Amino acid sequence: MVNPVSNNMDKIVEIYKKKAEKALDDFDYEKERVQATADKPINLFGGTATKQVVDVAAESRRICDKLFATLQTLVCMVDEECKPLLNQQPSQSSVEKVADFIKWLNSESEIEVNFTASFNSRDLGNVANGRYIPKTECKMIQSYWETKNETWIDWIDSSQTNNMSDTTTTPVSSRTASSEFIKNFNIANSRQSFELTDEEAEYLKAGKRWREELAEAEIRRNEEIEKEIYSVQHSLETKAKREYDKVISSQTMIKQEAEQKIAEAQEKIRNSKFLQFSLRITQQEIIDESERIRKEAIKAINRAKENFDSDMARAAETASWKSHSIRRKIMDSYKMPEPPRKPASIAALQCSNDAIKKAICAGMEPDRLYTTEDIQREIPVAIDLSNQHISSLIKQMISVQLERVEQNRKAYFRVKK
C-alpha cells in the first residue's frame, strides 16, 4: 500500500535535490571559467596586475558565496517542508532520505576552492581561495533528522501496539494506521519460529549475490571515476609536455646554431692576418650577436622548464577540483544492480523493529562474532536495510540481546549468553 505522506516527502527531496545539483553544476562551470581567467599570465609591469588579481579573488568569492547560500538555504527549506509531515507518520525510509539529503547538503557546503595564477610566467601559487563550513543552525537540523531516523518506528507507536489485533485501527497520536500495516505488524510480532522458509532461503542466496554484484559494481564505478579524473590530468600534462618539447627543441636548435656561429667566428679571428682589422671587427660583431641570441635561448629554455613544472602542478590541481563534478556525474548515471524482490514474510518482519531484532538474534550463530556488514549480508531480514538502521537497532540490542566485543579497533557483536 502506497503511503501518500511518504510519497510527498520523497517528492520534496527529489525537487530540492535537482535544485542542489543544478547549483553544483553551475558552480563547477563558473569555477572552471574563473580558473581559466586565473591561468592567463599576469604581467606585473602591464599596469593591470592588481586589478586582475582582485577580479579573480572577487569572482571566486562570489561563486563560493552563491553555492554556499543556496545549499544552506535548501537545508532550511527541506526541513521546513518535511518536518510537519512527521506528524502524519511517513515511512522510515522516507525519514532516512530526508536525513541523508540534509547531511549531503551540509557536506557539499564544506567548500574549499583555490585559484592559482602566474606572474610574468612564474607560478605564484594561490591568488584566491574560499573555505566554508555549514552554519550551526543547519548542523542542528541535520542532527535533528539523524536522531529522528535512528529512533523512527514505521507508522506505529510501540507503546500502543500491544492492544492491536488484525482488525484494529487504533489511532496513533490522533492518526489512524494502515490496516494492512497493522496486519503485517501483528504477523511480525506474533512470529515464533525464525527458521528460514524455502522462499526466505532463496532470498538470502539472491541477497548475497546482489551484495557481491553491488560491491563489484561499486569497484567498477570507482575505477571509471578514477579513469576519468586521470584522463583530465593526463590530457593537461600531455599538452604541457608537447608545448615544453616544442619550445625546448626550437630554442636548443637556436642555441646550438648561435654556438656554432661563435665557434666559426672565433676560428676566423684566430686565423686572420695581423692587418685584417675589418674581418676581426665583423667576426666580433657576429660573436656578440650570437652570444646575445644564445643567452636569450638559454633564458627561454629555463623559462620553459619553470612553466612546465607549473603546468604539471596545475594539471594535478585542475583534475582534483574537477573530480567533484566527474564523480557526481558518473555516480548519477551509473546503473547499479537492483536488490532482489523480498518475500512477503520478510516485508512483514520489517514492519516491526522488535521483530527485526528477534530475527537478527535468531539468525546469528552462538559464540560467533559478527560485524554489522556480516549481519546485513547473512540475515535475510537485514539484507536491504541501511547501515544506519542496522546500527541503530544493534545499539538498542546491546546489553539486552547482544554483547559488543572490540578486536583490532573494530566492533563485533554476538548473541548474549
Side-chain angles (χ1 to χ4, degrees):
M1 181 177 178
V2 176
N3 183 341
V5 180
S6 297
N7 194 33
N8 191 15
M9 188 174 278
D10 293 347
K11 283 181 180 178
I12 292 171
V13 171
E14 285 303 313
I15 289 170
Y16 286 118
K17 184 177 181 182
K18 288 179 181 178
K19 291 181 182 294
E21 289 173 345
K22 184 180 184 304
L24 288 165
D25 288 338
D26 290 344
F27 174 76
D28 288 334
Y29 171 78
E30 294 191 62
K31 185 171 66 174
E32 291 181 25
R33 180 175 57 79
V34 174
Q35 184 61 63
T37 301
D39 281 342
K40 295 177 182 177
I42 299 174
N43 189 345
L44 284 173
F45 309 104
T48 61
T50 301
K51 182 179 184 303
Q52 286 176 276
V53 174
V54 169
D55 286 348
V56 169
E59 189 65 6
S60 67
R61 181 63 182 267
R62 183 189 69 79
I63 65 172
C64 290
D65 283 350
K66 181 181 176 182
L67 177 63
F68 181 78
T70 299
L71 297 179
Q72 292 291 275
T73 300
L74 289 177
V75 170
C76 297
M77 292 175 72
V78 171
D79 176 61
E80 183 179 340
E81 292 195 31
C82 290
K83 189 175 287 183
L85 298 178
L86 291 173
N87 294 329
Q88 301 174 45
Q89 290 296 312
S91 67
Q92 194 275 332
S93 62
S94 293
V95 175
E96 183 178 21
K97 283 181 183 178
V98 176
D100 288 345
F101 180 54
I102 289 175
K103 180 180 180 181
W104 177 75
L105 287 172
N106 277 333
S107 174
E108 294 297 324
S109 297
E110 295 179 0
I111 307 167
E112 183 171 8
V113 177
N114 298 311
F115 294 98
T116 59
S118 58
F119 294 79
N120 290 349
S121 299
R122 294 182 65 86
D123 183 21
L124 292 187
N126 297 331
V127 296
N129 59 73
R131 179 169 176 78
Y132 299 74
I133 59 173
K135 299 176 184 177
T136 302
E137 176 190 1
C138 294
K139 293 296 286 184
M140 289 174 67
I141 290 173
Q142 176 184 331
S143 179
Y144 171 84
W145 280 95
E146 286 177 339
T147 302
K148 280 292 181 184
N149 180 45
E150 289 176 2
T151 58
W152 194 260
I153 298 178
D154 272 344
W155 290 79
I156 298 176
D157 184 341
S158 59
S159 66
Q160 301 183 29
T161 57
N162 292 332
N163 298 324
M164 290 187 178
S165 64
D166 288 358
T167 58
T168 302
T169 56
T170 304
V172 181
S173 302
S174 301
R175 293 173 305 276
T176 302
S178 159
S179 59
E180 180 181 347
F181 180 85
I182 294 171
K183 178 180 178 181
N184 287 334
F185 184 91
N186 285 312
I187 289 173
N189 279 342
S190 63
R191 183 164 171 172
Q192 299 298 317
S193 172
F194 288 93
E195 288 187 15
L196 299 185
T197 64
D198 291 343
E199 192 179 22
E200 290 171 347
E202 284 301 316
Y203 175 65
L204 178 58
K205 292 178 183 178
K208 288 181 178 179
R209 288 195 300 271
W210 172 63
R211 285 284 169 195
E212 291 170 359
E213 292 169 2
L214 193 64
E216 292 172 0
E218 287 175 348
I219 291 172
R220 289 194 300 270
R221 183 181 64 186
N222 290 336
E223 287 176 348
E224 187 174 330
I225 290 170
E226 294 303 320
K227 183 179 178 181
E228 183 65 23
I229 295 172
Y230 170 77
S231 176
V232 170
Q233 181 171 342
H234 181 67
S235 176
L236 293 171
E237 289 176 345
T238 300
K239 180 182 177 183
K241 184 68 165 59
R242 186 166 56 246
E243 293 175 355
Y244 170 75
D245 289 343
K246 181 180 178 181
V247 173
I248 293 298
S249 176
S250 63
Q251 294 300 322
T252 299
M253 187 176 296
I254 291 171
K255 174 174 167 289
Q256 290 174 344
E257 289 175 355
E259 290 172 345
Q260 180 66 27
K261 287 183 179 180
I262 291 171
E264 291 174 354
Q266 289 174 339
E267 181 67 19
K268 287 181 180 179
I269 290 175
R270 281 195 298 269
N271 294 333
S272 65
K273 294 181 180 179
F274 180 71
L275 296 177
Q276 290 180 307
F277 298 113
S278 177
L279 183 147
R280 291 183 180 182
I281 291 172
T282 301
Q283 296 304 313
Q284 187 58 49
E285 289 175 348
I286 293 174
I287 290 172
D288 292 343
E289 178 62 15
S290 297
E291 181 62 20
R292 184 190 68 78
I293 293 172
R294 188 185 76 86
K295 288 180 179 178
E296 286 297 323
I298 291 174
K299 287 182 181 178
I301 289 171
N302 290 335
R303 192 159 53 245
K305 290 179 178 178
E306 291 176 357
N307 289 342
F308 176 69
D309 291 340
S310 175
D311 289 342
M312 294 295 280
R314 187 171 288 114
E317 290 176 359
T318 301
S320 176
W321 53 256
K322 278 190 174 183
S323 64
H324 174 84
S325 57
I326 290 171
R327 185 177 300 278
R328 191 174 67 253
K329 180 181 177 182
I330 291 177
M331 289 187 73
D332 288 346
S333 62
Y334 204 91
K335 187 172 178 60
M336 302 298 281
E338 293 289 334
R341 183 178 178 182
K342 72 180 76 172
S345 57
I346 296 296
L349 281 175
Q350 291 180 343
C351 289
S352 166
N353 281 341
D354 286 341
I356 294 173
K357 294 175 189 177
K358 291 176 184 177
I360 288 175
C361 286
M364 296 173 70
E365 298 175 12
D367 298 323
R368 178 185 163 186
L369 295 175
Y370 289 79
T371 62
T372 53
E373 292 79 11
D374 293 333
I375 292 171
Q376 193 175 42
R377 185 173 53 251
E378 299 180 26
I379 298 176
V381 73
I383 283 175
D384 64 343
L385 297 181
S386 68
N387 287 332
Q388 192 174 21
H389 192 175
I390 295 173
S391 297
S392 175
L393 292 173
I394 288 175
K395 286 179 183 178
Q396 299 169 30
M397 296 166 71
I398 291 174
S399 299
V400 180
Q401 295 141 303
L402 301 178
E403 58 180 333
R404 185 180 186 276
V405 179
E406 188 167 317
Q407 292 184 356
N408 299 322
R409 298 183 179 180
K410 188 173 179 65
Y412 293 86
F413 307 92
R414 65 186 171 199
V415 178
K416 193 173 181 181
K417 297 179 181 178

